[in-house]
Amino acid sequence: MNELEGMNPSDLGIEMHRFAAEIYPICRSITGEGIRETFKQIQKLIPVQLHEVASGTKVFDWVVPREWNIRDAYIKDSTGARVVDFRQSNLHVVNYSVPVSARLLLSELKDRLFTLPEHPDWIPYRTAYYREDWGFCLSQNRLRQLQDAEYEVCIDSTLEDGRLTWAECFLPGASTEEVLISAHACHPSLANDNLSGLTVATFLARLLSGRALRYSYRFLFIPGTIGAIAWLARNREAAGRVRHGLVLTCVGDSGGFHYKKSRRGDAEIDRAAAHVLRHCGEPAEVLDFSPYGYDERQYCSPGFNLPVGCLMRSVWGTFPEYHTSADNLDFIHPEQMARSLRLCASIVDVLEKNKKYLNRNPYCEPQLGKRNLYRSTGGESIDVEVNARLWVLNLSDGEHSLLDIAERSGLPFAAIHDAAELLLESGLLAEAAESGSDG
Ligand code: ZN
C-alpha cells in the first residue's frame, strides 16, 4: 500500500496542482538546464534516471540540436526601463533564440515581435528550434504602448554543443512486456500543455510503485518530438517490448476527456481507454488516429507502429489558451488533475486484469443458487452482479477476455472482474493458458 492509495481525491488534486505550481516558473526547452531542473524536481517524488545524448548525434533522420540556455532577456526604452522583461515571463523570449545585443528602432524590431491581436492581454508562445533566429513575444496591449523610438535589445542566451536530456522511471512487473507512459517536458511556463501531463504521469508512477504489477511500466519524461525520436533510436529493444502505451497531455483543464487511438486503431489500449471513458461519468470522446499531435506521432510511425494512444481533456490547438500565457496555473484545476489520474489508474487496472478464463461447467448454466452465487457482495446492485456472473460464465470459453465480456455486456470492467474473481473462488472458472499478448 503506498501513501497515495488512501488519500482523498481533493487532497490528491491539491498536491498535484502544488507540484505543477512548483515547476511552472522554470524556463524549459528541448535542451538545457530548465528541462534538467524539471527532472530533478520529478526525481524528488519518484525514482527517475536521466539519460543524455550529445549535440550532433544522428537519431534516425534528425540530428540532436545544440543545447540552449538563457539567463536574461529584455527590451529597454531610452529611460532604461524594461518594457519587455524575461524575468516577468519566460514566454517573452522566442524559445531557442540566439544571443542578441543591439540598439534598434521599433520599426526595425517589429518583424521580430509576436502578439495575439485577438487576445490583446495574452503573450503567445513561440519557438525557433531548428533555425538560428531570435524574437520576442508580448501582449498586443504592451506593443501598442511602445513609441516609435530606439530600444536596447538583449537576449543573454547560449546555443552551444551540449546534451539532450530525458528522464525515465521504470517499475518492473512480473512480465518483461512493458506499458509506456510518455509526457513531454519541453514547454516553459505552460500549464495544461506540458505540466498537467508531467504531473499526472509522475503521480501515476507514485501510485503504481510498490504494487505487484503484471506488466513492467516505463514512464518517459522527454522533450517533444526530438526526445521521443532519440529515445526510440536508442531503445529499439525496449520499444519492441511495449505492449500498451499512453501519451499524456492537456489533462488538467475543465474540458471533457478525449482519447486519440493508436495507429492500429483496435489495440488493447484503444479498447481499454474507450471502455473506461464510456463508464467514467464525465463527457468523453474517442478520436481516430492522425499523424499530427504529440509524441504518438513517433511511437506510431510505421516502422514502430506501437500500440500507443494519447489521452487529453481539451484537444491541443482547439482551446484559445493553447500556446499562450493564458495556459497558466488557473487554467488547470486540482479536481480535474485528480480525476485524470483516476482515469489513468482505471485504464491500467483494465490492462493489468484483462485475462481469459475457462468456464469449467460449460454444459448448461451451473446452478448458482446452491453455490450461494445469487447473493450480492454489496458492490453493485444484485442485478448487475448476477448479470456479470452470467456473462462471464457464458463467454469464458478461452477465447474471450474480460474486456471482450465487458464490451459485449455493456457492464463496467470492474463488475466483470469482480464476477470473475468470485467464480474463480467458487471453482466454476479457471484461468485460460495465455495464448499470446494480444487479448
Ligand atoms: Zn505544445
PDB file of all heavy atoms in Angstrom, residues 31 52 93 100 148 153 160 169-170 203-204 222 274 311 353 370 376 426 438:
ATOM      1  N   THR A  31      16.258  21.362 -24.769  1.00  0.00           N
ATOM      2  CA  THR A  31      17.533  21.022 -24.128  1.00  0.00           C
ATOM      3  C   THR A  31      17.791  22.062 -23.044  1.00  0.00           C
ATOM      4  O   THR A  31      17.066  23.055 -22.949  1.00  0.00           O
ATOM      5  CB  THR A  31      18.715  21.080 -25.122  1.00  0.00           C
ATOM      6  OG1 THR A  31      18.808  22.431 -25.611  1.00  0.00           O
ATOM      7  CG2 THR A  31      18.546  20.113 -26.291  1.00  0.00           C
ATOM      8  N   GLU A  52      21.296  10.968 -21.472  1.00  0.00           N
ATOM      9  CA  GLU A  52      21.703  12.107 -22.294  1.00  0.00           C
ATOM     10  C   GLU A  52      22.321  11.652 -23.612  1.00  0.00           C
ATOM     11  O   GLU A  52      22.946  10.596 -23.702  1.00  0.00           O
ATOM     12  CB  GLU A  52      22.700  12.966 -21.515  1.00  0.00           C
ATOM     13  CG  GLU A  52      22.070  13.491 -20.232  1.00  0.00           C
ATOM     14  CD  GLU A  52      22.753  14.718 -19.675  1.00  0.00           C
ATOM     15  OE1 GLU A  52      23.957  14.606 -19.375  1.00  0.00           O
ATOM     16  OE2 GLU A  52      22.078  15.763 -19.547  1.00  0.00           O
ATOM     17  N   VAL A  93      10.469  35.504 -24.520  1.00  0.00           N
ATOM     18  CA  VAL A  93      11.540  35.256 -25.495  1.00  0.00           C
ATOM     19  C   VAL A  93      11.154  34.096 -26.385  1.00  0.00           C
ATOM     20  O   VAL A  93      10.671  33.074 -25.900  1.00  0.00           O
ATOM     21  CB  VAL A  93      12.857  34.921 -24.763  1.00  0.00           C
ATOM     22  CG1 VAL A  93      13.930  34.484 -25.758  1.00  0.00           C
ATOM     23  CG2 VAL A  93      13.315  36.120 -24.000  1.00  0.00           C
ATOM     24  N   VAL A 100      21.586  38.024 -28.580  1.00  0.00           N
ATOM     25  CA  VAL A 100      21.470  39.291 -29.299  1.00  0.00           C
ATOM     26  C   VAL A 100      21.816  40.422 -28.347  1.00  0.00           C
ATOM     27  O   VAL A 100      21.480  40.372 -27.158  1.00  0.00           O
ATOM     28  CB  VAL A 100      20.022  39.520 -29.798  1.00  0.00           C
ATOM     29  CG1 VAL A 100      19.876  40.895 -30.418  1.00  0.00           C
ATOM     30  CG2 VAL A 100      19.602  38.457 -30.784  1.00  0.00           C
ATOM     31  N   ASP A 148       7.570  54.839 -31.396  1.00  0.00           N
ATOM     32  CA  ASP A 148       8.496  54.543 -32.491  1.00  0.00           C
ATOM     33  C   ASP A 148       9.841  55.214 -32.187  1.00  0.00           C
ATOM     34  O   ASP A 148      10.157  56.279 -32.702  1.00  0.00           O
ATOM     35  CB  ASP A 148       7.930  55.012 -33.834  1.00  0.00           C
ATOM     36  CG  ASP A 148       8.771  54.451 -34.975  1.00  0.00           C
ATOM     37  OD1 ASP A 148       9.538  53.491 -34.728  1.00  0.00           O
ATOM     38  OD2 ASP A 148       8.676  54.971 -36.091  1.00  0.00           O
ATOM     39  N   VAL A 153      18.037  46.073 -27.060  1.00  0.00           N
ATOM     40  CA  VAL A 153      17.528  44.705 -27.122  1.00  0.00           C
ATOM     41  C   VAL A 153      18.617  43.753 -26.651  1.00  0.00           C
ATOM     42  O   VAL A 153      19.761  43.831 -27.110  1.00  0.00           O
ATOM     43  CB  VAL A 153      17.137  44.360 -28.582  1.00  0.00           C
ATOM     44  CG1 VAL A 153      16.735  42.898 -28.692  1.00  0.00           C
ATOM     45  CG2 VAL A 153      16.026  45.269 -29.061  1.00  0.00           C
ATOM     46  N   GLU A 160      25.077  26.153 -27.654  1.00  0.00           N
ATOM     47  CA  GLU A 160      26.399  25.521 -27.751  1.00  0.00           C
ATOM     48  C   GLU A 160      26.263  24.005 -27.757  1.00  0.00           C
ATOM     49  O   GLU A 160      25.244  23.469 -27.321  1.00  0.00           O
ATOM     50  CB  GLU A 160      27.249  25.913 -26.517  1.00  0.00           C
ATOM     51  CG  GLU A 160      27.583  27.388 -26.485  1.00  0.00           C
ATOM     52  CD  GLU A 160      28.160  27.830 -25.136  1.00  0.00           C
ATOM     53  OE1 GLU A 160      27.955  27.096 -24.139  1.00  0.00           O
ATOM     54  OE2 GLU A 160      28.780  28.889 -25.102  1.00  0.00           O
ATOM     55  N   CYS A 169      11.429   6.594 -15.579  1.00  0.00           N
ATOM     56  CA  CYS A 169      11.131   5.892 -14.325  1.00  0.00           C
ATOM     57  C   CYS A 169      10.640   4.507 -14.723  1.00  0.00           C
ATOM     58  O   CYS A 169       9.653   4.382 -15.452  1.00  0.00           O
ATOM     59  CB  CYS A 169      10.051   6.652 -13.550  1.00  0.00           C
ATOM     60  SG  CYS A 169       9.388   5.712 -12.154  1.00  0.00           S
ATOM     61  N   PHE A 170      11.341   3.485 -14.290  1.00  0.00           N
ATOM     62  CA  PHE A 170      10.996   2.114 -14.669  1.00  0.00           C
ATOM     63  C   PHE A 170      10.498   1.344 -13.455  1.00  0.00           C
ATOM     64  O   PHE A 170      11.181   1.264 -12.436  1.00  0.00           O
ATOM     65  CB  PHE A 170      12.221   1.416 -15.278  1.00  0.00           C
ATOM     66  CG  PHE A 170      11.925   0.036 -15.793  1.00  0.00           C
ATOM     67  CD1 PHE A 170      11.219  -0.136 -16.979  1.00  0.00           C
ATOM     68  CD2 PHE A 170      12.339  -1.085 -15.088  1.00  0.00           C
ATOM     69  CE1 PHE A 170      10.929  -1.407 -17.453  1.00  0.00           C
ATOM     70  CE2 PHE A 170      12.053  -2.367 -15.561  1.00  0.00           C
ATOM     71  CZ  PHE A 170      11.352  -2.530 -16.743  1.00  0.00           C
ATOM     72  N   PHE A 203       2.468  11.251 -10.750  1.00  0.00           N
ATOM     73  CA  PHE A 203       1.641  10.701  -9.675  1.00  0.00           C
ATOM     74  C   PHE A 203       1.150   9.292 -10.005  1.00  0.00           C
ATOM     75  O   PHE A 203       0.955   8.484  -9.095  1.00  0.00           O
ATOM     76  CB  PHE A 203       0.484  11.658  -9.344  1.00  0.00           C
ATOM     77  CG  PHE A 203       0.911  12.781  -8.437  1.00  0.00           C
ATOM     78  CD1 PHE A 203       1.737  13.792  -8.902  1.00  0.00           C
ATOM     79  CD2 PHE A 203       0.532  12.804  -7.103  1.00  0.00           C
ATOM     80  CE1 PHE A 203       2.165  14.814  -8.058  1.00  0.00           C
ATOM     81  CE2 PHE A 203       0.951  13.825  -6.248  1.00  0.00           C
ATOM     82  CZ  PHE A 203       1.768  14.828  -6.736  1.00  0.00           C
ATOM     83  N   LEU A 204       0.986   8.992 -11.294  1.00  0.00           N
ATOM     84  CA  LEU A 204       0.623   7.619 -11.658  1.00  0.00           C
ATOM     85  C   LEU A 204       1.778   6.675 -11.302  1.00  0.00           C
ATOM     86  O   LEU A 204       1.562   5.582 -10.777  1.00  0.00           O
ATOM     87  CB  LEU A 204       0.293   7.533 -13.153  1.00  0.00           C
ATOM     88  CG  LEU A 204      -0.171   6.170 -13.668  1.00  0.00           C
ATOM     89  CD1 LEU A 204      -1.469   5.732 -12.989  1.00  0.00           C
ATOM     90  CD2 LEU A 204      -0.364   6.187 -15.189  1.00  0.00           C
ATOM     91  N   ILE A 222      10.116  13.580 -21.584  1.00  0.00           N
ATOM     92  CA  ILE A 222      11.015  13.847 -22.704  1.00  0.00           C
ATOM     93  C   ILE A 222      10.714  15.176 -23.375  1.00  0.00           C
ATOM     94  O   ILE A 222       9.595  15.663 -23.339  1.00  0.00           O
ATOM     95  CB  ILE A 222      10.885  12.737 -23.783  1.00  0.00           C
ATOM     96  CG1 ILE A 222       9.398  12.487 -24.078  1.00  0.00           C
ATOM     97  CG2 ILE A 222      11.587  11.476 -23.370  1.00  0.00           C
ATOM     98  CD1 ILE A 222       9.163  11.548 -25.214  1.00  0.00           C
ATOM     99  N   ALA A 274     -11.236   3.358 -24.390  1.00  0.00           N
ATOM    100  CA  ALA A 274     -12.613   3.660 -24.801  1.00  0.00           C
ATOM    101  C   ALA A 274     -13.606   3.114 -23.784  1.00  0.00           C
ATOM    102  O   ALA A 274     -14.592   3.769 -23.434  1.00  0.00           O
ATOM    103  CB  ALA A 274     -12.886   3.073 -26.187  1.00  0.00           C
ATOM    104  N   LEU A 311      -4.031  10.480 -24.407  1.00  0.00           N
ATOM    105  CA  LEU A 311      -5.145  10.914 -23.563  1.00  0.00           C
ATOM    106  C   LEU A 311      -5.049  12.410 -23.291  1.00  0.00           C
ATOM    107  O   LEU A 311      -4.001  12.899 -22.854  1.00  0.00           O
ATOM    108  CB  LEU A 311      -5.145  10.145 -22.235  1.00  0.00           C
ATOM    109  CG  LEU A 311      -6.314  10.510 -21.320  1.00  0.00           C
ATOM    110  CD1 LEU A 311      -7.630   9.977 -21.870  1.00  0.00           C
ATOM    111  CD2 LEU A 311      -6.083  10.007 -19.903  1.00  0.00           C
ATOM    112  N   LYS A 353      -5.644  -6.520 -15.444  1.00  0.00           N
ATOM    113  CA  LYS A 353      -6.567  -7.607 -15.086  1.00  0.00           C
ATOM    114  C   LYS A 353      -7.248  -8.249 -16.277  1.00  0.00           C
ATOM    115  O   LYS A 353      -8.070  -9.138 -16.101  1.00  0.00           O
ATOM    116  CB  LYS A 353      -7.633  -7.060 -14.130  1.00  0.00           C
ATOM    117  CG  LYS A 353      -7.065  -6.619 -12.789  1.00  0.00           C
ATOM    118  CD  LYS A 353      -8.111  -5.908 -11.959  1.00  0.00           C
ATOM    119  CE  LYS A 353      -7.558  -5.521 -10.593  1.00  0.00           C
ATOM    120  NZ  LYS A 353      -8.473  -4.581  -9.903  1.00  0.00           N
ATOM    121  N   LYS A 370     -27.302 -22.815  -5.417  1.00  0.00           N
ATOM    122  CA  LYS A 370     -26.764 -23.769  -4.456  1.00  0.00           C
ATOM    123  C   LYS A 370     -25.315 -23.441  -4.068  1.00  0.00           C
ATOM    124  O   LYS A 370     -24.792 -23.942  -3.085  1.00  0.00           O
ATOM    125  CB  LYS A 370     -26.888 -25.205  -4.987  1.00  0.00           C
ATOM    126  CG  LYS A 370     -25.908 -25.581  -6.078  1.00  0.00           C
ATOM    127  CD  LYS A 370     -26.079 -27.036  -6.497  1.00  0.00           C
ATOM    128  CE  LYS A 370     -25.049 -27.441  -7.524  1.00  0.00           C
ATOM    129  NZ  LYS A 370     -25.368 -28.699  -8.202  1.00  0.00           N
ATOM    130  N   SER A 376     -25.721 -10.785  -3.308  1.00  0.00           N
ATOM    131  CA  SER A 376     -24.953  -9.587  -3.615  1.00  0.00           C
ATOM    132  C   SER A 376     -23.743  -9.535  -2.685  1.00  0.00           C
ATOM    133  O   SER A 376     -23.826  -9.911  -1.529  1.00  0.00           O
ATOM    134  CB  SER A 376     -25.816  -8.352  -3.391  1.00  0.00           C
ATOM    135  OG  SER A 376     -25.005  -7.208  -3.343  1.00  0.00           O
ATOM    136  N   SER A 426     -15.131 -19.908  -6.446  1.00  0.00           N
ATOM    137  CA  SER A 426     -16.125 -20.978  -6.304  1.00  0.00           C
ATOM    138  C   SER A 426     -15.756 -22.212  -7.120  1.00  0.00           C
ATOM    139  O   SER A 426     -16.449 -23.222  -7.055  1.00  0.00           O
ATOM    140  CB  SER A 426     -17.499 -20.474  -6.754  1.00  0.00           C
ATOM    141  OG  SER A 426     -17.511 -20.358  -8.162  1.00  0.00           O
ATOM    142  N   ASP A 438      -1.868 -10.482 -27.513  1.00  0.00           N
ATOM    143  CA  ASP A 438      -2.975  -9.655 -27.988  1.00  0.00           C
ATOM    144  C   ASP A 438      -4.287 -10.177 -27.448  1.00  0.00           C
ATOM    145  O   ASP A 438      -4.831 -11.123 -27.961  1.00  0.00           O
ATOM    146  CB  ASP A 438      -3.004  -9.606 -29.513  1.00  0.00           C
ATOM    147  CG  ASP A 438      -1.827  -8.799 -30.040  1.00  0.00           C
ATOM    148  OD1 ASP A 438      -1.633  -7.689 -29.520  1.00  0.00           O
ATOM    149  OD2 ASP A 438      -1.127  -9.287 -30.926  1.00  0.00           O
TER     150      ASP A 438
END
